[in-house]
């Protein structure tokens, strides 16, 4: 027999307000305790991971350092036994090793290649540099030195740049150098004179516009034709507004600072004309764009004839009195020749008359012509 259910009254609460409030407070306390415990557990796990990571890094660092010291830094197999130095200039091996502070016998891994590179790069002669470590015990140093193209000085005249302390070598980039070992090929380099606008110091780069123009002129004049026909020996920059260039033939050419290529083209035309006319140029002023003033030197034969031309016949000068005294005509007795004296009859000495003082006659010179004997 089925049990009869009692009908449920709708909209009737099972608990009172007080009961519901008490139940809510209990639920809140339980949830807050679980959240605190969960948070503490997460913080502990995170701290443990961080501590483990720090300990692992420290262990790796200490172990790696110990291993590097044991197997590399204190290993006699990596002892620096050879230092190869290659250079194409005047730098000496002892000078390079002294600047780089390198010596054989130390550990190859204790050598700071970056520091060696910086020290050698500070040398004024070094243009390109390469430092390579080769295991187990070799370091290679390859240096490409700067090539000097001219001497530069503040003096306006210089006969021997080798003997002057005020002369510096300069390369195409304008870097000044002071070589300890001077080569014979440096003596034939052109000289830039009168650079007074800046102080000259080894390792410094020139900044004066007239000096830069002189270096640019040397670079442009190294072409095929101009290098053989127009060889620069001196460049005077003391005027400040132009370059006075003297070549191997002592020709003086005046250049401006701008459009050097165009000025060299005009000079090339004059050189071709002088070669065709067999005349040597004395002076050219290329500052003028039109009606360029040009002077030519005299031929060598004409110069020699003007300096040492001998006379055709020497002129002999003879002095005669201007007012000559009258000469009396001797008598017949005086005209007759006396008899020659013999040794048996010696001649008696004649009495000399007392001379009367006469005024000194004035004389003049006239050319004496020599006559040929028939």
């Amino acid at each position: 027999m089925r049990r009869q259910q009692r009908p449920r009254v709708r909209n009737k609460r099972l608990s009172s307000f007080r009961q519901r409030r008490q139940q809510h407070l209990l639920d809140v306390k339980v949830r807050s305790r679980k959240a605190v415990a969960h948070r503490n557990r997460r913080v502990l796990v995170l701290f443990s991971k961080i501590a483990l990571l720090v300990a692992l890094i420290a262990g790796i660092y200490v172990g790696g350092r110990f291993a590097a010291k044991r197997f590399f830094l204190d290993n006699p197999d990596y002892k620096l036994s050879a230092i190869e130095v290659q250079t194409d200039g005047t730098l000496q091996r002892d000078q390079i090793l002294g600047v780089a502070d390198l010596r054989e016998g130390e550990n190859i891994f204790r050598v700071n290649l970056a520091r060696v590179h910086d020290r050698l790069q500070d040398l004024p002669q070094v243009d390109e540099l390469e430092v390579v470590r080769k295991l187990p015990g070799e370091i290679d140093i390859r240096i490409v030195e700067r090539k000097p193209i001219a001497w530069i000085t503040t003096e306006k005249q210089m006969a021997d740049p080798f003997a002057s302390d005020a002369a510096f070598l300069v390369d195409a980039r304008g870097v000044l150098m002071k070589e300890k070992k001077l080569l014979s090929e440096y003596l034939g380099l052109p000289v830039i004179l009168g650079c007074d606008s800046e102080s000259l110091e080894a390792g410094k780069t020139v900044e004066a516009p007239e000096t830069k123009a002189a270096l640019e002129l040397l670079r442009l004049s190294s072409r095929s034709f101009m290098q053989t026909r127009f060889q620069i020996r001196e460049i005077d920059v003391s005027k400040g507004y132009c370059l006075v260039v003297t070549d191997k033939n002592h020709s003086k050419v005046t250049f401006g600072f701008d459009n050097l290529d165009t000025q060299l083209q005009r000079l090339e035309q004059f050189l071709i004309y002088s070669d065709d006319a067999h005349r040597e140029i004395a002076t050219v002023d290329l500052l003028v764009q039109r009606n360029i003033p040009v002077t030519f030197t005299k031929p060598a034969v004409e110069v020699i004839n003007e300096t040492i031309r001998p006379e055709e016949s020497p002129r002999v000068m003879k002095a005669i009195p201007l007012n000559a005294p009258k000469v009396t005509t001797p008598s017949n007795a005086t005209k007759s020749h006396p008899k020659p004296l013999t040794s048996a009859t010696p001649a008696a000495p004649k009495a000399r008359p007392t001379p009367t003082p006469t005024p000194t006659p004035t004389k003049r010179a006239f050319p004496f012509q020599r006559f040929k004997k028939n």
Side-chain angles (χ1 to χ4, degrees), residues 11-63:
N11 297 331
K12 186 178 181 180
R13 297 182 180 276
L14 298 178
S15 61
S16 63
F17 174 75
R18 187 175 181 181
Q19 292 176 351
R20 291 195 304 270
R21 184 178 180 184
Q22 188 68 25
Q23 184 68 28
H24 175 70
L25 292 176
L26 292 176
D27 293 341
V28 169
K29 289 181 180 179
V30 173
R31 287 196 301 267
S32 63
R33 288 182 187 144
K34 290 183 179 179
V36 170
H38 183 68
R39 185 172 59 251
N40 293 338
R41 190 163 47 251
R42 290 181 60 185
V43 171
L44 182 60
V45 171
L46 180 61
F47 179 76
S48 301
K49 290 181 178 179
I50 293 174
L52 182 61
L53 182 61
V54 171
L56 182 62
I57 293 175
I60 294 175
Y61 174 76
V62 174

Side-chain angles (χ1 to χ4, degrees), residues 234-340:
E234 292 182 359
I235 302 178
D236 189 1
V237 299
S238 59
K239 293 186 177 181
Y241 65 92
C242 66
L243 305 175
V244 181
V245 181
T246 305
D247 71 341
K248 65 176 182 179
N249 297 325
H250 303 285
S251 302
K252 292 187 178 296
V253 184
T254 304
F255 289 87
F257 294 161
D258 300 328
N259 301 324
L260 291 174
D261 198 2
T262 305
Q263 298 180 58
L264 283 174
Q265 291 178 3
R266 294 203 298 264
L267 177 61
E268 185 175 350
Q269 295 177 1
F270 285 111
L271 293 176
I272 294 175
Y273 171 77
S274 65
D275 292 342
D276 295 340
H278 302 286
R279 302 181 66 182
E280 195 65 37
I281 295 177
T283 59
V284 179
D285 190 357
L286 297 176
L287 288 174
V288 184
Q289 297 183 0
R290 295 183 178 180
N291 299 326
I292 300 175
V294 183
T295 60
F296 295 92
T297 59
K298 296 180 179 180
V301 177
E302 184 178 349
V303 174
I304 294 175
N305 292 336
E306 290 181 355
T307 53
I308 52 173
R309 177 180 293 174
E311 295 184 357
E312 297 179 357
S313 59
R315 302 179 65 186
V316 180
M317 309 299 291
K318 180 179 180 181
I320 60 172
L322 184 61
N323 298 322
K326 295 181 180 181
V327 180
T328 57
T329 305
S331 59
N332 296 331
T334 58
K335 288 182 180 180
S336 60
H337 298 282
K339 294 180 180 181

Side-chain angles (χ1 to χ4, degrees), residues 59-335:
I60 294 175
Y61 174 76
V62 174
R65 189 167 183 177
F66 177 78
K69 187 176 181 181
R70 175 72 179 275
F71 296 104
F72 296 101
L73 298 179
D74 294 339
N75 193 344
D77 295 337
Y78 296 107
K79 182 179 180 181
L80 183 59
S81 59
I83 302 175
E84 185 179 354
V85 178
Q86 297 180 2
T87 179
D88 60 348
T90 60
L91 287 176
Q92 302 297 319
R93 175 184 174 87
D94 297 338
Q95 182 182 359
I96 295 174
L97 296 182
V99 173
D101 195 15
L102 282 177
R103 62 188 62 86
E104 297 179 354
E106 60 180 337
N107 190 274
I108 193 173
F109 291 104
R110 295 185 183 273
V111 178
N112 192 341
L113 296 185
R115 186 182 305 171
V116 172
H117 188 279
D118 294 340
R119 289 178 177 177
L120 293 177
Q121 194 67 48
D122 292 338
L123 291 174
Q125 298 90 339
V126 176
D127 188 14
E128 297 179 4
L129 174 64
E130 183 181 5
V131 182
V132 180
R133 181 190 285 119
K134 291 184 177 180
L135 298 179
E138 183 180 354
I139 291 180
D140 293 347
I141 301 176
R142 296 181 179 87
I143 297 176
V144 177
E145 297 188 21
R146 302 182 187 276
K147 303 299 180 183
I149 62 173
W151 293 89
I152 185 171
T153 180
T154 56
E155 300 178 359
K156 295 185 178 180
Q157 290 183 355
M158 178 172 292
D160 187 8
F162 277 84
S164 177
D165 295 334
F168 293 84
L169 289 169
V170 60
D171 68 341
R173 300 180 182 177
V175 180
L176 300 177
M177 296 173 287
K178 197 70 174 180
E179 299 283 355
K180 292 185 177 180
K181 181 181 179 182
L182 297 177
L183 303 179
S184 58
E185 60 186 15
Y186 295 163
L187 189 59
L189 294 177
V191 183
I192 302 176
L193 302 172
C195 186
D196 297 332
S197 60
E198 59 183 346
S199 59
L200 302 181
E201 184 180 354
K204 184 180 178 181
T205 304
V206 293
E207 299 294 341
E210 59 270 16
T211 309
K212 289 185 177 180
L215 296 176
E216 181 67 14
L217 179 62
L218 291 174
R219 186 187 67 84
L220 293 175
S221 62
S222 60
R223 295 179 298 180
S224 59
F225 175 78
M226 298 299 293
Q227 187 177 10
T228 56
R229 183 61 181 84
F230 184 69
Q231 297 182 3
I232 299 176
R233 286 291 170 260
E234 292 182 359
I235 302 178
D236 189 1
V237 299
S238 59
K239 293 186 177 181
Y241 65 92
C242 66
L243 305 175
V244 181
V245 181
T246 305
D247 71 341
K248 65 176 182 179
N249 297 325
H250 303 285
S251 302
K252 292 187 178 296
V253 184
T254 304
F255 289 87
F257 294 161
D258 300 328
N259 301 324
L260 291 174
D261 198 2
T262 305
Q263 298 180 58
L264 283 174
Q265 291 178 3
R266 294 203 298 264
L267 177 61
E268 185 175 350
Q269 295 177 1
F270 285 111
L271 293 176
I272 294 175
Y273 171 77
S274 65
D275 292 342
D276 295 340
H278 302 286
R279 302 181 66 182
E280 195 65 37
I281 295 177
T283 59
V284 179
D285 190 357
L286 297 176
L287 288 174
V288 184
Q289 297 183 0
R290 295 183 178 180
N291 299 326
I292 300 175
V294 183
T295 60
F296 295 92
T297 59
K298 296 180 179 180
V301 177
E302 184 178 349
V303 174
I304 294 175
N305 292 336
E306 290 181 355
T307 53
I308 52 173
R309 177 180 293 174
E311 295 184 357
E312 297 179 357
S313 59
R315 302 179 65 186
V316 180
M317 309 299 291
K318 180 179 180 181
I320 60 172
L322 184 61
N323 298 322
K326 295 181 180 181
V327 180
T328 57
T329 305
S331 59
N332 296 331
T334 58
K335 288 182 180 180

